[in-house]
Amino acid sequence: MYEKALLIQIGIKRKVMYRKAKMLGFTHPLVVACSQELDQLLNRYQGKAS
């Protein structure tokens, strides 16, 4: 159950990041922050939680 919820969160965060990047550019601080949040979710999913 936890794994499925994490995958949903990853999918949502990825879509949000792409939308922000399209509007603001990939190097905008808000996009970078979103990318870092996505990285954290992916690390958790892969079992590398910090």
Side-chain angles (χ1 to χ4, degrees):
M1 184 69 175
Y2 172 75
E3 217 172 274
K4 190 172 182 175
L6 202 47
L7 283 173
I8 291 169
Q9 286 180 325
I10 288 168
I12 292 168
K13 185 61 70 175
R14 184 176 283 132
K15 286 179 185 177
V16 168
M17 185 188 72
Y18 283 134
R19 282 193 205 117
K20 286 182 181 185
K22 191 174 181 180
M23 292 185 332
L24 305 169
F26 281 99
T27 58
H28 191 281
L30 291 175
V31 178
V32 173
C34 194
S35 176
Q36 291 170 341
E37 292 170 10
L38 177 59
D39 286 345
Q40 290 174 351
L41 289 170
L42 290 167
N43 286 339
R44 263 199 278 172
Y45 180 74
Q46 294 174 346
K48 300 176 186 175
S50 53

